[in-house]
Amino acid sequence: MLHAKVVDVSKEKIDLAKAQKFIASSKCGASIYFVGTVRDQNDNKKVTGITYDSHDALVIKSFEEIYKEAETKFKFTNIAVFIEHIKGHAALGDASIIIAVACKHRAQAYEFSRYIIEEIKKRTPIWKKEHYEGEDSKWLKGNPLVDQNQLK
Amino acid sequence: MKIILELYGASREFSEKDYLKFNLKEKSSINDLRNEIFSFIDKNFKGNNNFKKLVKSSKFCSEENNIVADNYKITKDQKIGIIPPIGGG
């Protein structure tokens, strides 16, 4: 069971309570919440915030692909996964992504959650523009998108 | 063919709008589109090398939301997204 969404922070907020509600199940004995937040330093520069850009349709597609691949890879049953990533401006400490995973056992939940965030980093089309003290800002270099079809 | 190139990430520096417009010959490929973008950078940004590197390292996304190869033939007017190197999370 998957919930996947890009949250435009100019219209609504990303909300951990929604994740909690979505993955709640008496069939699961372990829940993991991964929350990515905006930190105040990068490359020895003082960060004041980040603007996230997103190709929404491709982001949702990649979340769904990653979830299906994880299901095939791990073969766990009774899994619930909630993934939301923001787009728009985030201040220091604000959440940029929530990945909530519920599984039968804790080892499964850790494994599934870790797989999802690592794959998102590799292939989900989201971009960051960091803002620094002094009103300077810069798009981060990032990694070229890995085309999964070319890997097959 | 009329192509609307949707800009994402660092490629947004190419325009104040969210897109660029290009006119391509029939049966042009993504590679041809890439060359048109290089010409645009030459004309509007004095051949800015960082912008050209960005385009070289970018993928492209069709209107059907598929990442397409450089030899992909564009057969109709459509929106195409430029997908620069990514880094979310």
Side-chain angles (χ1 to χ4, degrees), chain A residues 53 61 85 121 126 139 143, chain B residues 9 12-13 65-66 86-88:
Chain A
D53 190 16
K61 192 175 173 185
H85 200 298
K121 288 279 185 186
I126 291 170
W139 288 101
N143 299 305
Chain B
R12 288 191 184 275
E13 304 290 332
N65 296 319
N66 293 316
I86 57 164

Side-chain angles (χ1 to χ4, degrees), chain B residues 16-29:
Chain B
E16 285 176 0
K17 294 177 182 167
D18 291 340
Y19 60 88
L20 293 172
K21 286 180 177 177
F22 293 98
N23 272 311
L24 295 184
K25 289 176 189 165
E26 292 294 316
K27 294 181 183 175
S28 289
S29 66

Side-chain angles (χ1 to χ4, degrees), chain B residues 30-41:
Chain B
I30 289 295
N31 216 24
D32 297 324
L33 174 60
R34 206 188 287 270
N35 288 330
E36 286 294 321
I37 304 170
F38 288 147
S39 299
F40 169 84
I41 293 169

Side-chain angles (χ1 to χ4, degrees), chain A:
Chain A
M1 187 170 66
L2 172 71
H3 164 90
K5 187 176 174 183
V6 176
V7 176
D8 181 345
V9 291
S10 68
K11 295 174 186 158
E12 58 180 320
K13 285 187 174 180
I14 194 166
D15 185 0
L16 198 58
K18 278 191 212 163
Q20 231 166 347
K21 195 175 173 187
F22 182 80
I23 67 168
S25 165
S26 57
K27 293 188 187 307
C28 298
S31 301
I32 298 285
Y33 297 91
F34 171 82
V35 182
T37 53
V38 177
R39 69 170 183 274
D40 66 357
Q41 266 211 333
N42 192 25
D43 284 339
N44 294 321
K45 287 178 116 177
K46 281 194 177 177
V47 175
T48 57
I50 295 179
T51 300
Y52 289 86
D53 190 16
S54 152
H55 187 301
D56 296 0
L58 274 186
V59 168
I60 298 300
K61 192 175 173 185
S62 83
F63 287 169
E64 288 169 353
E65 283 172 2
I66 292 166
Y67 172 76
K68 280 178 194 160
E69 283 169 21
E71 264 192 325
T72 306
K73 180 181 167 74
F74 297 115
K75 296 183 175 66
F76 303 150
T77 54
N78 298 320
I79 309 158
V81 175
F82 176 102
I83 312 172
E84 286 193 352
H85 200 298
I86 67 158
K87 72 172 182 180
H89 185 265
L92 293 183
D94 283 356
S96 58
I97 183 169
I98 294 174
I99 301 172
V101 176
C103 291
K104 273 188 187 173
H105 308 291
R106 68 183 182 281
Q108 294 177 339
Y110 276 117
E111 213 169 4
F112 214 95
S113 172
R114 183 68 191 261
Y115 181 83
I116 289 170
I117 185 62
E118 297 303 333
E119 291 303 312
I120 286 173
K121 288 279 185 186
K122 281 184 222 166
R123 61 169 131 149
T124 299
I126 291 170
W127 300 271
K128 290 180 191 177
K129 188 176 197 178
E130 277 186 346
H131 305 285
Y132 309 107
E133 273 188 345
E135 296 182 7
D136 186 18
S137 61
K138 185 180 83 177
W139 288 101
L140 296 190
K141 201 175 169 191
N143 299 305
L145 186 69
V146 177
D147 182 355
Q148 297 305 304
N149 292 322
Q150 286 176 4
L151 294 178
K152 284 171 191 168

